[in-house]
């Protein structure tokens, strides 16, 4: 890690050289290296690479550490699951206290000649085994996402059966295969599993994996650079299995859909496999062309549902054993019972908990789990109550719960009070007077004002709005 961090210093961020705030950057790198060094030895290589290595320290100025990541999603994940654990550790180990600000920043272009590797493509590039991709193009079928590492239960067995059939006989059984299901339920995992399995069976088969966003970007690139023949060759001629993840993003993108339609036809006629995933059914995707919709009726539409408690526990145990985390049965059961939303959340909690236990040396027990995950457990289980909302807002906005319920009018405090009231109204639907009561006996007009004010600021400041919406999502589970 220190190697790549020091290169970040020398080369500067985003290819912008000669930055005046070099010192702030070095300070950030130094602090961030310390923040994560203890974790590095304790988390598995995979977890560390997935969650921490892509984060780039940008600057440390007046106790504010700015970190950059190319994915908004991962930023939220780190913030929700690990940030407080890391900060506590920094304080305990090095006596450093700082606030953290995240910024979304694309990675620098690797090679302008390479039409496929647009910035957002960390995880979305091409794989062709017999036709080795140019070096800048990342091999991106993740070997960890295999059928072996996928836990099968009633919620997903149909999907797994369909995927297995496709992987065993691409183009022969279900073509196209359309897999749909909610966020974090294993769609991307299964896409990779199909790719892995097909390549294992036939190392010469040309598997192309990418997200529909990457497909869109690649198309735009090809149009700009007048490289449409290469583009078409890539997806039509040089492809035996096309794995297109998150096809819902194609909705309303007319030109991309047009191109995809022809790609689809060319592949299908040639007996090549098409496998797509989506978080919506074809007829629920807004702005999705009728002719594409009907194409997907030709094959099989398989769904994947949220796992039942037994499957959740089995998944936790498998993850723990893969990551060499000694997870006692009662803790697995506790987590599996309380975290119901999706598998990604489950994973997040497990990593957070094991990071916490190893950093503090505490034993991994149900009590520890309850303690470390208290906000998450309350909010991801049943509807959160006002206390839980206040706790989450206080954590996010760095204001004491007692201040949120109190009367102080200092701007930061007043604002977090308003946010908490706004969220309480949205989530619990309690009446204005009842909410006022819960916030230390305020008048109902204060609550109404808070709601109006927050709505207004959300309309004016996108960053603020993002924050409130992410709190709302978190609280709603
Ligand atoms: P989706 O693409 O549906 O949003 P992912 O495939 O990214 O979801 O899954 C989120 C995480 O959960 C991944 O790390 C994946 O490995 C894991 N996961 C999901 N379902 C299972 C399962 N049944 N067994 C093992 N891991 C799973
Ligand atoms: Mg996915």
């Amino acid at each position: 890690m220190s190697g790549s961090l020091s290169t970040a210093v020398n080369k500067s961020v985003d290819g912008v050289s000669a930055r005046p705030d070099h010192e702030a950057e070095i300070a950030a790198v130094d602090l961030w290296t310390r923040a994560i060094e203890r974790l590095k030895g304790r988390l598995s290589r995979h977890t560390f690479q997935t969650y921490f290595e892509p984060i780039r320290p940008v600057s440390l100025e007046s106790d504010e550490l700015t970190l950059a990541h190319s994915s908004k999603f991962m930023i939220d994940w780190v913030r929700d699951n690990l940030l407080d654990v890391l900060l506590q550790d920094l304080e305990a180990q090095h006596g450093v206290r700082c606030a953290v600000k995240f910024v979304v920043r694309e990675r620098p272009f690797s090679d302008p000649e390479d039409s496929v590797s647009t910035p957002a493509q960390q995880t979305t590039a091409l794989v062709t085994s017999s036709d080795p991709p140019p070096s800048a193009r990342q091999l991106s079928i993740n070997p960890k996402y295999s059928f072996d590492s996928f836990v099968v239960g009633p919620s997903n067995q149909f999907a797994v059966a369909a995927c297995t059939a496709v992987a065993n006989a691409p183009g022969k059984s279900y073509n196209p295969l359309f897999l749909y299901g909610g966020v974090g339920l294993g769609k991307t995992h299964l896409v990779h599993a199909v790719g892995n399995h097909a390549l294992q069976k036939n190392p010469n088969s040309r598997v192309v994996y990418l997200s529909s966003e990457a497909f869109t970007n690649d198309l735009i690139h090809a149009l700009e650079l007048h490289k449409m023949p290469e583009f078409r060759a890539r997806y039509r001629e040089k492809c035996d299995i096309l794995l297109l993840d998150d096809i819902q993003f194609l909705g309303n993108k007319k030109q991309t859909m047009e191109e995809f339609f022809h790609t689809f036809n060319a592949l299908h006629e040639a007996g090549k496999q098409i496998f797509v995933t989506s978080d919506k059914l074809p007829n629920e995707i807004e702005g999705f062309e009728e002719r594409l919709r009907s194409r997907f009726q030709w094959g099989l539409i398989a769904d994947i549902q949220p796992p039942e408690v037994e499957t959740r526990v089995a998944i936790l145990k498998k993850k723990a054993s893969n990551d060499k985390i000694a997870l006692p049965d009662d803790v697995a059961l506790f987590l599996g019972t309380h975290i119901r939303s999706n598998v990604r959340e489950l994973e997040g909690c497990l990593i957070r908990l094991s990071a916490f236990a190893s950093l503090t040396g505490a034993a991994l027990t149900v009590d520890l789990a309850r303690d470390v995950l208290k906000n998450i457990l309350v909010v991801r289980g049943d509807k959160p109550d006002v206390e839980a909302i206040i706790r989450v807002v206080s954590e996010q906005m760095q204001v004491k719960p007692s201040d949120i319920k109190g009367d102080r009018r200092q701007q930061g405090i007043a604002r977090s009070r308003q946010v908490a009231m706004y969220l309480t109204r949205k989530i619990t639907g309690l009446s204005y007077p009842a909410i006022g009561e819960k916030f230390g006996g305020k008048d109902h007009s204060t609550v109404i004002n808070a709601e109006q004010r927050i709505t207004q600021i959300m309309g004016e400041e996108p960053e603020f709005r993002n924050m409130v919406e992410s709190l709302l999502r978190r609280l709603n589970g």
Side-chain angles (χ1 to χ4, degrees):
M1 191 71 216
S2 59
S4 62
L5 281 171
S6 51
T7 18
V9 175
N10 297 335
K11 283 210 216 129
S12 86
V13 179
D14 284 349
V16 181
S17 46
R19 290 161 50 111
D21 45 358
H22 203 54
E23 260 171 42
E25 190 180 336
I26 294 178
V29 171
D30 176 56
L31 181 64
W32 182 241
T33 313
R34 281 193 278 162
I36 61 178
E37 71 191 353
R38 267 157 51 84
L39 275 182
K40 192 179 179 187
R42 291 178 152 94
L43 297 176
S44 75
R45 184 87 203 111
H46 171 73
T47 301
F48 194 78
Q49 277 174 345
T50 311
Y51 298 107
F52 294 98
E53 281 189 359
I55 296 177
R56 282 173 307 140
V58 176
S59 66
L60 175 65
E61 276 167 307
S62 5
D63 291 338
E64 185 176 76
L65 174 65
T66 303
L67 300 172
H69 198 298
S70 60
S71 147
K72 171 86 176 63
F73 174 81
M74 289 305 291
I75 289 178
D76 287 344
W77 191 92
V78 170
R79 193 166 20 215
D80 287 356
N81 291 291
L82 280 164
L83 193 59
D84 57 343
V85 174
L86 275 177
L87 291 181
Q88 274 166 28
D89 187 55
L90 257 185
E91 189 171 352
Q93 296 298 314
H94 305 283
V96 176
R97 285 187 77 147
C98 63
V100 169
K101 184 172 126 196
F102 277 101
V103 291
V104 181
R105 220 176 251 189
E106 301 288 16
R107 319 213 109 212
F109 279 87
S110 40
D111 175 4
E113 277 307 295
D114 177 17
S115 60
V116 177
S117 76
T118 47
Q121 281 177 2
Q122 276 266 298
T123 56
T124 50
L126 282 172
V127 170
T128 55
S129 70
S130 63
D131 169 24
S135 55
R137 214 176 272 166
Q138 226 171 322
L139 283 184
S140 62
I141 295 246
N142 183 343
K144 281 203 73 140
Y145 290 155
S146 62
F147 284 119
D148 278 348
S149 62
F150 197 81
V151 176
V152 184
S155 59
N156 58 29
Q157 64 191 12
F158 182 66
V160 172
C163 290
T164 314
V166 161
N168 278 323
K172 305 239 156 50
S173 42
Y174 307 115
N175 201 16
L177 174 60
F178 187 104
L179 176 64
Y180 88 99
V183 177
L185 296 182
K187 298 183 297 296
T188 297
H189 188 133
L190 285 175
V191 170
H192 284 264
V194 167
N196 277 315
H197 190 85
L199 280 169
Q200 237 167 41
K201 279 197 66 142
N202 180 2
N204 290 325
S205 67
R206 295 164 303 176
V207 180
V208 174
Y209 161 73
L210 77 176
S211 75
S212 66
E213 275 175 313
F215 184 81
T216 307
N217 289 337
D218 196 21
L219 175 63
I220 293 170
H221 243 78
L223 287 167
E224 276 170 9
L225 302 174
H226 306 291
K227 289 192 169 172
M228 280 310 286
E230 289 89 338
F231 177 92
R232 292 193 173 128
R234 205 148 50 233
Y235 297 106
R236 298 184 196 178
E237 285 103 57
K238 297 186 188 167
C239 172
D240 299 316
I241 303 178
L242 177 63
L243 306 171
L244 197 59
D245 210 357
D246 289 320
I247 198 173
Q248 72 273 4
F249 290 123
L250 290 190
N252 288 325
K253 298 207 176 79
K254 269 194 165 337
Q255 200 176 358
T256 315
M257 271 189 286
E258 169 85 25
E259 191 57 38
F260 177 65
F261 179 72
H262 295 298
T263 306
F264 184 107
N265 291 342
L267 291 173
H268 200 268
E269 265 163 38
K272 312 292 185 171
Q273 179 70 44
I274 300 151
F275 176 16
V276 305
T277 73
S278 167
D279 65 3
K280 296 185 184 69
L281 279 167
N283 57 9
E284 292 169 351
I285 303 175
E286 210 194 309
F288 200 57
E289 278 185 18
E290 186 47 45
R291 55 184 185 168
L292 273 177
R293 235 171 248 173
S294 71
R295 287 290 182 284
F296 287 115
Q297 308 292 341
W298 294 356
L300 179 71
I301 298 184
D303 73 327
I304 183 164
Q305 296 292 328
E308 306 72 21
V309 63
E310 295 83 1
T311 312
R312 296 199 295 265
V313 172
I315 291 172
L316 280 166
K317 288 189 169 173
K318 188 146 205 164
K319 297 271 170 207
S321 99
N322 286 345
D323 272 5
K324 310 213 168 27
I325 299 168
L327 180 71
D329 285 351
D330 56 344
V331 180
L333 185 62
F334 176 80
L335 296 177
T337 312
H338 287 89
I339 304 161
R340 287 168 242 166
S341 46
N342 68 49
V343 181
R344 196 175 283 127
E345 296 278 3
L346 264 186
E347 266 182 21
C349 287
L350 179 64
I351 295 171
R352 174 184 165 88
L353 189 60
S354 71
F356 187 87
S358 51
L359 287 174
T360 59
L364 235 176
T365 60
V366 170
D367 281 344
L368 182 78
R370 191 176 283 126
D371 197 38
V372 174
L373 305 175
K374 59 179 179 285
N375 296 334
I376 299 167
L377 291 179
V378 177
V379 303
R380 294 185 194 170
D382 299 320
K383 223 179 194 186
D385 60 11
V386 182
E387 293 303 318
I389 295 171
I390 290 176
R391 205 159 56 223
V392 169
V393 172
S394 105
E395 228 185 52
Q396 168 79 33
M397 300 185 70
Q398 305 280 306
V399 169
K400 286 191 239 132
S402 56
D403 276 338
I404 291 185
K405 287 200 246 179
D407 294 315
R408 293 177 58 190
R409 287 168 168 261
Q410 194 201 320
Q411 209 208 355
I413 295 175
R415 183 57 39 81
S416 30
R417 186 179 303 131
Q418 289 172 334
V419 169
M421 286 177 168
Y422 171 91
L423 291 170
T424 303
R425 174 78 184 162
K426 277 258 176 302
I427 291 164
T428 64
L430 285 171
S431 69
Y432 294 118
I435 296 174
E437 196 53 44
K438 302 260 183 197
F439 280 76
K442 310 264 183 321
D443 191 73
H444 73 280
S445 62
T446 309
V447 185
I448 295 174
N449 280 338
E451 192 181 30
Q452 287 171 348
R453 182 81 186 111
I454 295 304
T455 310
Q456 184 198 350
I457 306 175
M458 283 172 74
E460 291 163 359
E461 295 174 22
E463 207 166 304
F464 182 80
R465 175 181 167 162
N466 278 344
M467 180 201 71
V468 176
E469 283 178 348
S470 108
L471 283 172
L472 188 63
R473 267 199 307 278
R474 212 176 125 189
L475 285 157
N476 276 328

